Amino acid sequence: MVVCASNGQFHSYVNPEQIDELIDQADTILWLDLQNPQDEEIDLLREEFNFHPLAIEDATRHHERPKLDAYENYYFMVFYAIGYDTARRRLSGQPIGLFIGANYIVSVHQGEITTIDETIKRWQANAAEFGQDVGTLLYTLLDALVDDYFPVIDQLAERVEDIEEQIFERYNENALQDVFGLKRDLLQVRRVVAPERDVLNVLIRREVPIFERNSILYLQDVYDHIVRITDSIDTYRDLLSSALDAFLSVQSNRLNQIVKVLTIASIVLMTDALVAGIYGMNFDVMPELHWRFGYPLILMMTAALVLVLYRNFRKNRWL
Amino acid sequence: MVVCASNGQFHSYVNPEQIDELIDQADTILWLDLQNPQDEEIDLLREEFNFHPLAIEDATRHHERPKLDAYENYYFMVFYAIGYDTARRRLSGQPIGLFIGANYIVSVHQGEITTIDETIKRWQANAAEFGQDVGTLLYTLLDALVDDYFPVIDQLAERVEDIEEQIFERYNENALQDVFGLKRDLLQVRRVVAPERDVLNVLIRREVPIFERNSILYLQDVYDHIVRITDSIDTYRDLLSSALDAFLSVQSNRLNQIVKVLTIASIVLMTDALVAGIYGMNFDVMPELHWRFGYPLILMMTAALVLVLYRNFRKNRWL
Amino acid sequence: MVVCASNGQFHSYVNPEQIDELIDQADTILWLDLQNPQDEEIDLLREEFNFHPLAIEDATRHHERPKLDAYENYYFMVFYAIGYDTARRRLSGQPIGLFIGANYIVSVHQGEITTIDETIKRWQANAAEFGQDVGTLLYTLLDALVDDYFPVIDQLAERVEDIEEQIFERYNENALQDVFGLKRDLLQVRRVVAPERDVLNVLIRREVPIFERNSILYLQDVYDHIVRITDSIDTYRDLLSSALDAFLSVQSNRLNQIVKVLTIASIVLMTDALVAGIYGMNFDVMPELHWRFGYPLILMMTAALVLVLYRNFRKNRWL
Amino acid sequence: MVVCASNGQFHSYVNPEQIDELIDQADTILWLDLQNPQDEEIDLLREEFNFHPLAIEDATRHHERPKLDAYENYYFMVFYAIGYDTARRRLSGQPIGLFIGANYIVSVHQGEITTIDETIKRWQANAAEFGQDVGTLLYTLLDALVDDYFPVIDQLAERVEDIEEQIFERYNENALQDVFGLKRDLLQVRRVVAPERDVLNVLIRREVPIFERNSILYLQDVYDHIVRITDSIDTYRDLLSSALDAFLSVQSNRLNQIVKVLTIASIVLMTDALVAGIYGMNFDVMPELHWRFGYPLILMMTAALVLVLYRNFRKNRWL
Amino acid sequence: MVVCASNGQFHSYVNPEQIDELIDQADTILWLDLQNPQDEEIDLLREEFNFHPLAIEDATRHHERPKLDAYENYYFMVFYAIGYDTARRRLSGQPIGLFIGANYIVSVHQGEITTIDETIKRWQANAAEFGQDVGTLLYTLLDALVDDYFPVIDQLAERVEDIEEQIFERYNENALQDVFGLKRDLLQVRRVVAPERDVLNVLIRREVPIFERNSILYLQDVYDHIVRITDSIDTYRDLLSSALDAFLSVQSNRLNQIVKVLTIASIVLMTDALVAGIYGMNFDVMPELHWRFGYPLILMMTAALVLVLYRNFRKNRWL
């Protein structure tokens, strides 16, 4: 639990029981960050802030969709931090529950989210710049969260390119599983990013008076980033489905090659075997058998046959 | 038939003929639950409540779509209970017809629906909390019904993962039929959930004054759940169609492997057979035949040929 | 031509020349049903009713889309009767042109449409119930027409299930043609039903004052049915495209099986043939040839080889 | 260049320099048709009519999209004539630039468009019916142009059916190329028809006062036709993509058949060859070789083997 | 850095420090073009123009989406120049940041963009025509940029046709990679063009008063071009996905052909080998072996067999 209040100066630690007094002081801005909240911290939300039970439930439950709910004196927002574990090639999405009041922000989440810590530090370092405005503080957080999406998208883009290379340059049968895994990740990111775009749209249209007029411009910027990300995701999904089709086609092509080899080898070997079979027959009268150079002649004939067939296949562009 | 009325205290059984009197008393809340309604119970709806014949028809007919119709003094709603029989891997959807008046709810359905029984019990146990408000009662029912969708969705998610495993880890030809069956189930759930989302949307936008302003928040919560469910369903459908493509690709891959084995075996065996065929020819002059170690030499030669071919295939990454 | 007028009592036959007088009497309701209209009947529409040439043209032309056009004193509607010929597995759609005035309905169609005859009979039998309201009459007709769609949809659903069975249980190559034929039928029904839904939507929203306020409820019911039908059609189309993918996959699976058999048989037979070929060679020194039990030994050896190969394939799950 | 003016009577030829005078006379209707316009004719548009350079540019440029632009005293519309050359199986789309003023129409196009000539002739023949209304004249032209689309659509429908027949009845490898060519044509028609529908929609909604209220009905008719055409195109596109899937499936089916033949023939021939190989071995002790009827017995045995295998394949439904 | 100001006459070079004075003079129009802007030039934007930090950031950052942001006294627009390097078959998109004030345009971009240089030259050459209107200047630039898209689209169209030819006329396995590369390019162009269409739409609807009423017509023209381009892109994407399906089908067809050859050759050669094998058997009693013309007879018989099989395959349309 990090409680952090500013009224000109900063108090990095605040006694929880003073919270209700602090939020009554209009010149104080309070940020309460609850990581892996315990029951007594949840009680704090209920007793000191008087938050609605539904909002508290949403904040502590996992897998909530990004959204913005209006309550009487505050807003409740769900936003996601997205990370990408390059080693394990796994996406992770951490929901953050945000209560936004006139002069406070309460953030609730499971596990550490460095972006929140950094935003708080940035605020402490530049208190003057942030002023007395919760909107600026929130924008800084959202902007930082969304900026963290770009490296994730870049990782996904790299995987798309890797898959293309696996399909077209060095054929790898596991490309298929990569395609499927990547599609799953793209769907997962999309499920987070698309409703976040809607949340930001609501904020921009000023349907919710958290932000002052002149900070809408900054929010528009975050919105533009989210739109760019959803654009990218849709493009990658489109490319992936083409990649899958291409993979099927490359597979089919390889089959053609293998069957071609089988066909050519069968024809050549069977023809030669037929010649050998003919001279293995036991007819009384087979003049060739008694020729002096019958055997080498026949061997040369079979070799010649191989050449003729080879040329023929070459001419028909089978080889 | 369960008739249950509360005016401070509870009367678990009410004489049907008194219903019209009860609903005239503004301080009484009445819940009439009709399971497998008989003709005389249907008559009750017509005579005691004066419900519209069309609404009664919709309530007793199967497979009605979820919807909300406004009548003069009451609303008629169709909502679904969805269950999943894990053993038989079958979804079941039970429509519930709900008549919602100023101080009564009438629920009509075929077969037992435990969620309704439990909601009534919860109401009886916490009468004070529910107050005199039909809206709260209805919210409790809808919330419980929608909460029951999640385990169903989890079952479907599990089946998606099972299918993926069948395709990528242990290849199973029945995966195909599972894909098809699951797609069918997802479509079936979607057909119920999508119009329910519309119904809840109408309620939230307060186009229908069943709910008081402060209970809209609770309804919004149910709505969020339904949206999350439809999101999941769409994601699973998307993954399923990728899974089907992947299945085709895995099949095609297996064909490539089989044909490779065929090709390699054919080439090796036919080459050796050709050698044997050549020394089975009956030419008078075939010096090798008279060598002392001609036979073992030839056997070794054929073995050597197998090795050379094997190396060749290895080098070309056929093996 | 059936002309039928009611002003309290019924006159099943009316002199065409009296029509203009009848429709001037507000207390008379007139239904003129024209089947395979002749030129003189078309003239009637122009002269007695003063219908617009465009509306008359639309009514007599085939394949018009369902629609609702507003003219000065009347409405012109196109609606479809859909039938399904189970024996020939063919859908048939018959357009009906409907002119709806303040106190008359004129229906124009090719071929017999039993639903119209039955609606007229029902009207004659229950004149009192229908009252003086053209709206009720029209609702009864539309409701009956839409109710007739359900058996058609049921037939299509049965064909979907039949196709699934053909694909998964008893493989049948004609399933493909059935898929294609069914898709064609679904598209055909959709092309009729989707614009009919729009027509009903216009009527429900009361943009067109044909119906009195309290009969809107009945119309809403017809609308719900049409929505349910379009839902079903979309579901079936979705299932069909999955079925086609599944069919390709089943085909591919069968190919795998066939090629497996080919591969196994080739390997077994070629190996044995190689053994026979070796002992058919004519080397002077081949000790085995002179063994007493050489021949049965070799036969047993080839049999043993078959067994070994069989086990091998079994172990690799090829059999 | 056809200049045609009517003020009660007709003047089939008008001196270009008089045009500005003619269009000042409210009781004169002028139609100027420019086919393959030369520079001096283009100058006419600029000088006599004062048309905007952009509109003139659009009228003389090819491949403009159908559209309706409002200028101060006139409208500029692009509409297409679509033809189908049955012999060469090629679609041709000719854009027509139309300037529509209070009492004049100027049509600009490349190549002959018979529909324009016929519309002018019809106008000259029935001047009274057309009256002094440019709207009626325009409607007549648009109606005639759209009516000419139907034979084109019919040709496309015929090609769809031809493709189906090629796939299901007499398998033809060129069906594929036909599918692709037809898809291309459908896309081309759609690109013309869809924006034309939008143009007509704008006209019907009376956002543009070219048409008097009572001629909107006629325009609605043209609009209905365009909607029907786009409906058909979408249906055909849907059917085509199914046809392509079906084609792949038929191909795959044929491969199954061929491989079946290969497998059966291989097994039968290799088995018999094995028997012959065995009796070609040179063991000293092979009693069968010395039997009197050994040879015919063996021949019969191989024949019997063929029969047994045949029955076996039959039983397993391979044949 | 090109600074260019006009107040009747032109000053091709302007001292940067005078910029703030120039833009205060209403009769002066200023165009500042910054290519690869250095830090001191960026400072200029901040100090002389007072542009918002966010807008400056967007202008200097790459890969921004096309957009139009309204600031207090100016607009910030992102638009793209698209080029196509025919030799390397690569698309290049260069974003241009445009600040549009009452009497100035500032363009910021990386690398040379000839269209900007040419537009400035055209302005200098025809100052009178452009007047004192920033709108006209901007239109001229946008028009020139969009006109440059057409050759790019033509290149893409050519590649689509090339791919078709590769698939249907001369089969080329690399067609697949071309399809994929082209799809990628189409997606890339679409990602630029679609939001540009939205930007132009906002301008046309006059939500943003950059343009005077009579220059909207010109803008509409640019908008029409963009719509035509997006139409084309969608058509090509549609054709490409058909092309991919067609490619799979052509591949599958080739496999059928190869397997047919394999089957026919196998059957013919194995049959003949069987005959040879039979007469290689060592039975004591094989009368044919002692016939005088046994050997040539058998050779002729095998030749006859080949002919019979050939006819048979011919009849069954295998050849």
Side-chain angles (χ1 to χ4, degrees), chain E residues 62-305:
Chain E
H62 297 297
H63 301 304
E64 207 57 33
R65 284 181 98 228
K67 64 174 180 177
L68 180 68
D69 289 343
Y71 289 88
E72 216 162 321
N73 299 311
Y74 56 96
Y75 293 91
F76 176 68
M77 188 193 282
V78 177
F79 221 82
Y80 271 70
I82 306 180
Y84 187 76
D85 182 338
T86 319
R88 296 168 56 213
R89 289 201 148 202
R90 289 204 47 170
L91 269 180
S92 63
Q94 290 171 281
I96 306 167
L98 291 166
F99 298 85
I100 304 138
N103 60 340
Y104 62 85
I105 289 180
V106 180
S107 51
V108 183
H109 52 96
Q110 301 293 324
E112 198 186 358
I113 292 176
T114 50
T115 314
I116 290 181
D117 301 341
E118 279 164 17
T119 306
I120 290 178
K121 273 184 203 142
R122 242 179 99 186
W123 176 36
Q124 290 177 327
N126 309 285
E129 201 182 290
F130 282 85
Q132 292 299 95
D133 185 9
V134 167
T136 309
L137 212 51
L138 182 62
Y139 154 72
T140 311
L141 179 60
L142 297 182
D143 190 41
L145 286 171
V146 170
D147 273 352
D148 286 352
Y149 294 178
F150 283 102
V152 175
I153 297 294
D154 289 348
Q155 287 292 337
L156 298 176
E158 221 162 78
R159 278 166 70 189
V160 172
E161 265 164 43
D162 184 44
I163 282 168
E164 276 181 59
E165 202 200 306
Q166 276 184 48
I167 292 175
F168 292 115
E169 270 147 70
R170 49 176 176 86
Y171 176 77
N172 183 341
E173 244 126 50
N174 294 328
L176 185 64
Q177 203 157 351
D178 287 3
V179 167
F180 198 83
L182 185 45
K183 182 147 198 185
R184 183 171 266 267
D185 283 350
L186 286 173
L187 281 172
Q188 198 185 330
V189 179
R190 217 194 181 288
R191 272 179 82 184
V192 166
V193 172
E196 283 184 355
R197 188 182 50 188
D198 297 342
V199 166
L200 284 167
N201 202 18
V202 166
L203 291 174
I204 289 170
R205 287 199 200 148
R206 315 206 63 227
E207 296 166 10
V208 166
I210 300 176
F211 293 97
E212 291 173 31
R213 198 177 157 70
N214 56 354
S215 62
I216 292 290
L217 278 171
Y218 289 93
L219 218 60
Q220 175 79 42
D221 197 55
V222 182
Y223 177 75
D224 285 351
H225 291 172
I226 287 264
V227 169
R228 189 134 66 87
I229 286 166
T230 47
D231 263 25
S232 297
I233 292 172
D234 290 344
T235 304
Y236 295 145
R237 282 177 68 189
D238 228 329
L239 282 174
L240 262 195
S241 69
S242 294
L244 196 57
D245 285 340
F247 188 78
L248 277 169
S249 181
V250 168
Q251 268 187 327
S252 159
N253 205 27
R254 290 175 76 86
L255 182 60
N256 280 13
Q257 295 300 342
I258 297 170
V259 176
K260 251 188 213 165
V261 169
L262 175 62
T263 307
I264 292 169
S266 295
I267 291 176
V268 168
L269 289 171
M270 287 168 103
T271 311
D272 282 358
L274 179 59
V275 171
I278 285 171
Y279 290 102
M281 293 193 296
N282 298 318
F283 283 96
D284 289 354
V285 187
M286 289 180 73
E288 299 96 317
L289 294 179
H290 309 300
W291 294 353
R292 197 164 168 188
F293 297 105
Y295 175 53
L297 252 168
I298 283 302
L299 286 190
M300 276 157 64
M301 204 183 91
T302 54
L305 232 155

Side-chain angles (χ1 to χ4, degrees), chain A residues 156-166, chain E residues 184:
Chain A
L156 297 176
E158 221 163 77
R159 278 165 71 189
V160 172
E161 265 164 43
D162 185 44
I163 282 167
E164 277 181 60
E165 202 200 307
Q166 278 184 49
Chain E
R184 183 171 266 267

Side-chain angles (χ1 to χ4, degrees), chain A residues 35-88:
Chain A
Q35 181 176 325
N36 306 319
Q38 306 302 314
D39 284 354
E40 66 267 22
E41 293 173 324
I42 300 299
D43 291 346
L44 213 75
L45 297 182
R46 197 176 300 112
E47 288 155 21
E48 299 287 318
F49 291 96
N50 280 313
F51 291 148
H52 195 284
L54 273 174
I56 293 174
E57 203 187 327
D58 284 349
T60 51
R61 201 157 38 177
H62 297 297
H63 301 303
E64 206 57 33
R65 282 181 98 228
K67 64 174 180 178
L68 180 67
D69 289 342
Y71 289 88
E72 216 163 321
N73 299 310
Y74 57 95
Y75 294 90
F76 176 69
M77 188 194 282
V78 177
F79 221 81
Y80 271 70
I82 306 179
Y84 186 75
D85 182 339
T86 318
R88 296 167 56 213

Side-chain angles (χ1 to χ4, degrees), chain D residues 177-194:
Chain D
Q177 203 158 351
D178 287 3
V179 167
F180 197 83
L182 185 45
K183 183 147 198 184
R184 184 171 264 267
D185 283 349
L186 285 172
L187 282 171
Q188 199 184 331
V189 178
R190 214 191 184 290
R191 272 179 81 184
V192 166
V193 172

Side-chain angles (χ1 to χ4, degrees), chain A residues 114-295:
Chain A
T114 50
T115 314
I116 290 181
D117 301 341
E118 279 163 19
T119 306
I120 290 177
K121 274 184 201 141
R122 244 178 98 186
W123 176 38
Q124 290 176 327
N126 308 286
E129 201 181 290
F130 281 86
Q132 292 298 95
D133 184 9
V134 166
T136 309
L137 212 52
L138 182 63
Y139 154 71
T140 311
L141 178 62
L142 296 183
D143 189 41
L145 286 171
V146 170
D147 273 352
D148 285 353
Y149 294 177
F150 283 103
V152 175
I153 297 295
D154 289 347
Q155 287 292 338
L156 297 176
E158 221 163 77
R159 278 165 71 189
V160 172
E161 265 164 43
D162 185 44
I163 282 167
E164 277 181 60
E165 202 200 307
Q166 278 184 49
I167 291 175
F168 292 115
E169 271 147 68
R170 48 175 178 87
Y171 176 77
N172 183 342
E173 244 127 50
N174 294 328
L176 183 65
Q177 203 157 352
D178 286 3
V179 167
F180 198 82
L182 186 45
K183 182 147 199 185
R184 183 171 265 268
D185 283 350
L186 285 173
L187 282 171
Q188 199 184 330
V189 178
R190 217 194 181 288
R191 273 180 80 184
V192 165
V193 171
E196 283 184 355
R197 190 183 49 188
D198 297 342
V199 166
L200 284 167
N201 203 17
V202 166
L203 291 175
I204 287 170
R205 288 200 201 148
R206 315 205 64 226
E207 295 167 11
V208 167
I210 299 176
F211 293 97
E212 292 174 31
R213 197 177 157 68
N214 57 354
S215 61
I216 292 290
L217 278 171
Y218 289 94
L219 218 59
Q220 174 79 43
D221 197 55
V222 182
Y223 177 75
D224 285 352
H225 290 171
I226 287 264
V227 169
R228 188 135 66 88
I229 286 166
T230 46
D231 264 23
S232 297
I233 292 173
D234 290 344
T235 305
Y236 296 145
R237 284 177 67 190
D238 227 329
L239 282 174
L240 262 194
S241 69
S242 294
L244 196 57
D245 285 341
F247 189 78
L248 278 169
S249 180
V250 168
Q251 269 187 327
S252 159
N253 205 26
R254 290 175 75 86
L255 182 60
N256 280 12
Q257 295 300 342
I258 298 171
V259 176
K260 252 188 212 165
V261 169
L262 175 62
T263 307
I264 292 169
S266 295
I267 290 176
V268 168
L269 290 170
M270 287 168 103
T271 311
D272 283 356
L274 178 59
V275 171
I278 285 170
Y279 291 102
M281 293 193 296
N282 297 319
F283 283 95
D284 289 353
V285 186
M286 289 180 73
E288 301 96 317
L289 294 178
H290 309 300
W291 294 354
R292 202 171 161 179
F293 298 105
Y295 175 52

Side-chain angles (χ1 to χ4, degrees), chain D residues 161-305:
Chain D
E161 265 165 43
D162 184 44
I163 282 168
E164 278 181 59
E165 202 200 306
Q166 277 184 49
I167 291 174
F168 292 115
E169 270 147 68
R170 48 176 177 87
Y171 176 77
N172 184 340
E173 244 125 51
N174 294 328
L176 184 65
Q177 203 158 351
D178 287 3
V179 167
F180 197 83
L182 185 45
K183 183 147 198 184
R184 184 171 264 267
D185 283 349
L186 285 172
L187 282 171
Q188 199 184 331
V189 178
R190 214 191 184 290
R191 272 179 81 184
V192 166
V193 172
E196 283 184 355
R197 188 182 52 188
D198 297 342
V199 165
L200 284 167
N201 203 17
V202 166
L203 291 175
I204 288 170
R205 289 200 200 148
R206 315 206 63 226
E207 296 166 9
V208 167
I210 301 175
F211 294 97
E212 291 174 30
R213 198 178 155 68
N214 57 354
S215 62
I216 292 290
L217 277 171
Y218 289 93
L219 218 59
Q220 175 80 43
D221 198 55
V222 181
Y223 177 75
D224 285 351
H225 290 171
I226 287 265
V227 170
R228 188 134 66 87
I229 286 166
T230 47
D231 264 24
S232 297
I233 291 172
D234 290 344
T235 304
Y236 295 145
R237 283 177 68 189
D238 227 328
L239 282 174
L240 262 194
S241 70
S242 294
L244 196 56
D245 285 341
F247 188 77
L248 277 169
S249 180
V250 168
Q251 268 186 326
S252 158
N253 205 26
R254 291 175 76 85
L255 182 61
N256 280 13
Q257 296 300 343
I258 297 170
V259 175
K260 252 189 215 165
V261 169
L262 175 62
T263 307
I264 293 169
S266 295
I267 291 175
V268 168
L269 289 170
M270 287 169 104
T271 311
D272 282 357
L274 179 60
V275 171
I278 284 170
Y279 291 103
M281 294 192 296
N282 298 318
F283 284 96
D284 288 355
V285 187
M286 288 178 73
E288 300 98 316
L289 295 179
H290 309 299
W291 293 354
R292 200 168 165 184
F293 298 106
Y295 175 52
L297 253 167
I298 283 301
L299 285 191
M300 277 157 63
M301 204 183 91
T302 55
L305 233 155

